[in-house]
Amino acid sequence: RQLAEEYLPRLQKYETQEALLGERNSYAKTDPDATFMRMKEDHLQNGQLKAGYNIQMGTEAQFVVGFSLHQRPADPGSLIPQLEETQRQRGGQQPKNVVADSAYGSEENYAYLEQAGIQAYVKYYTFHQETKPRRKPKPFAAEQMPYDEAQDAFTCPNGQLLRYQTTRRYRSDNGYQSERRIYECADCSPCPLKEQCTRAQGNRQIQVSFRLRAMRAHAKELLLSEQGTLLRKQRSIDVETVFGRFKQDWGFRRFLVRGLEKVKTEWGLLCIAHNFAK
């Protein structure tokens, strides 16, 4: 009993910290609502983590039509909350098209946009590589391996089959459930190309989502269309100009307040100020 009373304050401290963390893996003591993130601007060039928020906004004709603030560092999981917040701010109105860079090209986001009836002009991480005129072949990439539907197997550059082993299921922060099929080669030990193929000590494995592959193929078709080409060009002019005004013209590079709600208010005021100036 005496030992339990001795450790009670520490236990209460841990419970308080877990409550502050929520679903995050870090928080700042100077602002418990802020999460440590790797910033693009790192003057020390050592990958230093800094407390911050992930800001998102949607623009049209260089006007901010919706904004949101997030405690998660990654962009893929922020697209759906951003769209839902924009819809709320616009009285339920949804966009007809969404144009975004490759950071948002996840299966979850494609599925959400498809269900909402929104055209997804959203890049994925290999889009630029696939559309380069002088593209360097990557025969060891899973996307480049031929697939035999009858055998349900992929063929590696050495002619060996990677057969289906199992299925792994994942759940995102937003609750989206996806699955990846695992394929593995029977024996890579005698293969002369193993060092080029994998760093794993065992056999080469690949994870495949055929649903995501179909979504990327559809997205690629849209992005390479005449409309998609125009929208891709317009995106960089549209949204990057607004960020350029905030950071370069107005010198806004850090929030002046602390706490999620206060920072969200400051971010909203900044977006409104831009629209007035525009």
Side-chain angles (χ1 to χ4, degrees), residues 125 138-145 154-158 160-165 168 181-191 193-208 213:
Y125 76 98
K138 295 184 177 180
F140 298 99
E143 296 82 5
Q144 303 299 318
M145 293 184 184
F154 290 84
T155 304
C156 76
N158 196 36
Q160 301 300 312
L161 293 179
L162 283 78
R163 299 186 182 278
Y164 171 75
Q165 301 296 319
R168 294 176 185 169
R181 293 173 63 85
I182 310 301
Y183 293 81
E184 183 177 341
C185 185
D187 185 13
C188 293
S189 56
C191 180
L193 304 177
K194 183 179 179 181
E195 290 186 0
Q196 304 175 53
C197 184
T198 179
R199 296 179 180 179
Q201 293 182 353
N203 300 322
R204 172 69 188 273
Q205 281 190 353
I206 60 174
Q207 298 188 26
V208 179
R213 285 193 167 199

